[in-house]
Amino acid sequence: MIQEIQSKKVLTYHEDSFPTHWDVNPYRGCTIGCKYCFAQYSHKYLGLTDFHKDILVKTNVADCLNKELSSRTWQREQIKIGGTTDLYQHSEKKYELIPKIFDVIKKHKTPVFIQTKSNLILRDFELIKDLSKITQVDLATSITTFDESVRKVIEPGAATTLERMEMLAKFNGICNSTTVGLMPIIPLLTDSDENLETVFRLTKEFNLNN
């Protein structure tokens, strides 16, 4: 089920600053389908049952964000786009909310942190390149395993692990930072010496942070 909604507010503050205090989520629910996703429980508050299939689309997210960033009290702090959902999940192919958000970010020269498991972000390569000339843009991806038979089960809607690292490397020298997060490490599935060594070796070869 995909449902379009109108939001009244889209900036969310949380005490934990990892990686930022502020989030903007253009969607509720996520088609990437990570089995370990910490946000799955949140759908219960909305009377929804399937976090990976019941997707709420905040069609007015850019307008709301522009209004909130125009406030006199806004201190131009860094915002993470997609704190509890992947901003480049499959619904983004249709709705194209992210370019509109980038236009608002550019207007207000607000630093952003982007994290995604999707190489759909390459669609917006030029937009991010232009944005990085105006404000700080940090880009990250999280990975778990190079074993595709495991990855397809625990992250069925994500790009392959290698594709994610290659995607991230394309932004080297453009974004302020390009970071690989190794998380979560799942006992007996992703914690083998071979997998961990491959992650660190390729991170170094692609000249990424971790």
Side-chain angles (χ1 to χ4, degrees):
M1 181 272 293
I2 296 180
Q3 179 181 347
E4 298 178 7
I5 64 172
Q6 294 283 297
S7 294
K8 296 181 179 179
K9 183 177 182 296
V10 295
L11 269 177
T12 301
Y13 178 84
H14 47 83
E15 292 292 338
D16 188 355
S17 61
F18 178 73
T20 68
H21 284 296
W22 294 94
D23 288 348
V24 172
N25 291 290
Y27 302 95
R28 288 292 298 266
C30 184
T31 57
I32 298 296
C34 299
K35 304 303 182 185
Y36 49 77
C37 179
F38 72 94
Q40 295 182 63
Y41 75 93
S42 65
H43 254 33
K44 294 180 181 179
Y45 300 132
L46 303 174
L48 301 174
T49 58
D50 195 327
F51 185 79
H52 303 309
K53 293 182 179 179
D54 296 331
I55 310 299
L56 302 184
V57 183
K58 302 176 184 179
T59 54
N60 66 332
V61 61
D63 290 337
C64 285
L65 181 61
N66 182 53
K67 182 178 180 179
E68 292 176 64
L69 295 187
S70 297
S71 169
R72 294 180 180 179
T73 60
W74 178 249
Q75 298 297 310
R76 202 175 288 175
E77 298 177 64
Q78 189 174 39
I79 296 171
K80 181 178 182 182
I81 306 176
T84 56
T85 184
D86 197 302
L87 68 164
Y88 283 105
Q89 62 175 285
H90 301 84
S91 300
E92 174 61 16
K93 293 180 182 179
K94 174 181 177 180
Y95 287 98
E96 298 185 345
L97 300 180
I98 306 307
K100 298 175 184 177
I101 291 175
F102 286 159
D103 284 343
V104 174
I105 295 296
K106 187 176 182 179
K107 173 183 176 182
H108 294 279
K109 300 180 180 179
T110 298
V112 290
F113 186 100
I114 303 168
Q115 182 168 333
T116 182
K117 293 184 176 76
S118 171
N119 54 15
L120 179 60
I121 190 177
L122 295 175
R123 179 199 67 187
D124 296 338
F125 182 87
E126 293 298 328
L127 296 178
I128 294 172
K129 183 178 180 180
D130 289 343
L131 184 61
S132 68
K133 296 175 182 177
I134 295 173
T135 190
Q136 178 178 324
V137 179
D138 294 295
L139 177 60
T141 191
S142 60
I143 61 176
T144 53
T145 179
F146 277 90
D147 185 335
E148 276 296 291
S149 64
V150 174
R151 201 276 309 161
K152 288 178 180 179
V153 172
I154 63 176
E155 303 167 343
T160 69
T161 302
L162 183 58
E163 286 174 337
R164 279 179 255 174
M165 298 189 80
E166 290 173 337
M167 169 273 291
L168 204 58
K170 293 182 186 295
F171 289 92
N172 278 339
I174 294 175
C175 293
N176 178 63
S177 64
T178 48
T179 302
V180 173
L182 179 56
M183 55 184 179
I185 299 176
I186 305 173
L188 303 180
L189 286 179
T190 71
D191 63 345
S192 68
D193 290 342
E194 179 183 6
N195 187 57
L196 298 178
E197 288 172 1
T198 301
V199 171
F200 288 113
R201 176 176 58 81
L202 289 181
T203 299
K204 183 177 180 180
E205 289 180 9
F206 283 120
N207 194 30
L208 305 172
N209 303 315
N210 62 18

